[in-house]
Amino acid sequence: MERKARQSMTTQPKIYVAGHRGMVGSAIVRTLQQQGQTNIVTRTHAELDLTNQAAVQEFFKSEKPHQVYLAAAKVGGIHANNTYPAEFIYQNLMVQANVIHSAWLNGVQKLLFLGSSCIYPKLALQPMREDALLTGTLEPTNEPYAIAKIAGIKLCESYNRQYGASHGVDYRSVMPTNLYGPGDNYHPENSHVIPALIRRFHEAKVINAPIVTIWGSGTPRREFLYVDDMAAASVHVMNLDKTTYDAHTQPMQSLINVGFGEDITIHELAQAVGRALGYSGSIAFDPSKPDGSPRKLMDSHRLNALGWHAKVNLADGLATAYQDFLDSSLRA
């Protein structure tokens, strides 16, 4: 039995998940394990600094993975992007360039790059299609992060164009909408909207605060996708045969949107989070704080045509996310 298990592991591709401790990376690892993959390689930041070119090259040279999921990134909400623009563009550019180039140098033919919906213009037509990329001005608050993610897409496309035929390189990109779920960052200032709201409503509930005040006007519309759905979509896209993938993309427009398919206002989201946590107070808004883009809804028809659809609705996802917040608070 042990011999069979060892044989099974050796026949599986060696898969490197960069950023496995992050929300998306950990969900990808869960999804791969649920599908029976056991030959998964990971490194913590302390073990491998992805901004260090020499260290990344040495890692790829010694490990020789067959597939790479590039989920490592410096991420944050509006406040974090506004406060640390240099860190967001530098660190993300370095990580992407190092991982993608070292993957090619060491014979990796299959790589999946995870981008972000913020790559699209601030006033892009809604829902945002893949061909909206580079057609207008970006949202100023997260432009450095968006520029880095656009560079990641173009890195993948450029390596495909130059080395696809000669080296079998097949590097793909997926653009998730706003994600939430287990493993999220609940920092009071540097988190995204759902974890920030979960923390704020939880703290108000604990002290019986009569009102919770939310940044912005509450009118922007956003789309939210449960992180395990995103992970399932990532594995689905990675495993598509090349003929099918190529039939639905173009060499210089190869990205694929990953969304839930519906959006809601931030006001409606705040109400949903309040219900999920059992908060009974009132909700107010502070319009002096930035709203960001007026609307961000992804057009996911390309991915749907490739056979994938989201499964987890917002109410169920928020309930799981809140439990994760409680569990993470206990661990802390």
Side-chain angles (χ1 to χ4, degrees):
M1 197 68 180
E2 278 184 30
R3 185 178 175 185
K4 284 185 178 179
R6 285 197 299 271
Q7 288 176 340
S8 170
M9 182 171 174
T10 56
T11 57
Q12 290 183 345
K14 179 184 279 192
I15 303 172
Y16 170 47
V17 180
H20 76 287
R21 283 189 166 179
M23 178 174 63
V24 182
S26 60
I28 289 173
V29 170
R30 282 197 301 274
T31 299
L32 291 170
Q33 290 173 336
Q34 289 165 3
Q35 295 183 2
Q37 295 291 341
T38 55
N39 200 5
I40 301 172
V41 179
T42 60
R43 291 291 188 276
T44 65
H45 177 72
E47 294 169 330
L48 176 62
D49 179 0
L50 294 177
T51 66
N52 183 322
Q53 185 181 61
V56 174
Q57 289 183 356
E58 182 58 35
F59 165 78
F60 273 89
K61 183 179 178 181
S62 61
E63 286 293 339
K64 294 289 185 183
H66 302 103
Q67 296 182 11
V68 175
Y69 287 86
L70 181 41
K74 180 175 179 60
V75 298
I78 289 177
H79 176 79
N81 276 273
N82 249 341
T83 307
Y84 311 109
E87 292 179 26
F88 272 86
I89 192 167
Y90 172 77
Q91 292 186 25
N92 285 300
L93 283 172
M94 292 298 291
V95 167
Q96 295 160 191
N98 289 341
V99 171
I100 292 170
H101 186 64
S102 291
W104 171 73
L105 283 176
N106 290 278
V108 176
Q109 294 182 319
K110 299 204 70 177
L111 179 146
L112 189 76
F113 170 67
L114 279 74
S116 167
S117 62
C118 72
I119 62 167
Y120 295 115
K122 178 178 180 178
L123 300 178
L125 292 176
Q126 302 290 321
M128 298 180 292
R129 300 186 343 176
E130 288 87 351
D131 59 9
L133 182 64
L134 298 176
T135 61
T137 304
L138 298 165
E139 161 59 43
T141 57
N142 59 15
E143 183 192 71
Y145 177 75
I147 290 291
K149 287 298 183 181
I150 292 169
I153 297 167
K154 294 305 175 182
L155 272 166
C156 290
E157 291 178 351
S158 298
Y159 278 72
N160 289 342
R161 290 167 59 203
Q162 187 167 345
Y163 303 115
S166 60
H167 293 73
V169 167
D170 184 8
Y171 294 172
R172 305 174 180 184
S173 300
V174 285
M175 300 300 114
T177 189
N178 298 287
L179 301 174
Y180 71 99
D184 214 334
N185 167 28
Y186 301 98
H187 190 278
E189 292 181 344
N190 297 338
S191 58
H192 288 106
V193 60
I194 284 185
L197 289 176
I198 287 175
R199 183 184 185 112
R200 193 167 300 177
F201 276 96
H202 172 77
E203 291 173 348
K205 178 183 173 182
V206 168
I207 64 173
N208 290 316
I211 190 168
V212 171
T213 301
I214 310 300
W215 271 33
S217 66
T219 59
R221 301 187 66 88
R222 294 289 183 270
E223 177 186 26
F224 297 96
L225 182 70
Y226 187 66
V227 70
D228 285 70
D229 272 347
M230 175 59 198
S234 299
V235 176
H236 180 83
V237 171
M238 173 73 95
N239 292 332
L240 288 169
D241 67 87
K242 191 174 188 305
T243 301
T244 301
Y245 185 83
D246 288 349
H248 288 81
T249 59
Q250 299 171 28
M252 295 183 70
Q253 194 193 102
S254 63
L255 62 160
I256 293 181
N257 287 343
V258 186
F260 183 76
E262 300 174 9
D263 62 354
I264 62 173
T265 67
I266 296 299
H267 191 171
E268 292 167 332
L269 173 65
Q271 292 173 323
V273 172
R275 286 193 298 271
L277 274 64
Y279 175 73
S280 57
S282 301
I283 301 172
F285 292 88
D286 180 1
S288 70
K289 301 297 185 183
D291 269 338
S293 299
R295 192 182 189 198
K296 286 175 67 175
L297 174 64
M298 305 282 268
D299 183 327
S300 298
H301 283 94
R302 181 177 287 185
L303 181 56
N304 297 157
L306 288 165
W308 184 90
H309 298 267
K311 295 180 180 179
V312 181
N313 64 46
L314 185 63
D316 292 340
L318 287 176
T320 306
Y322 182 43
Q323 187 57 54
D324 177 67
F325 168 79
L326 295 174
D327 294 342
S328 66
S329 298
L330 289 173
R331 288 194 297 270

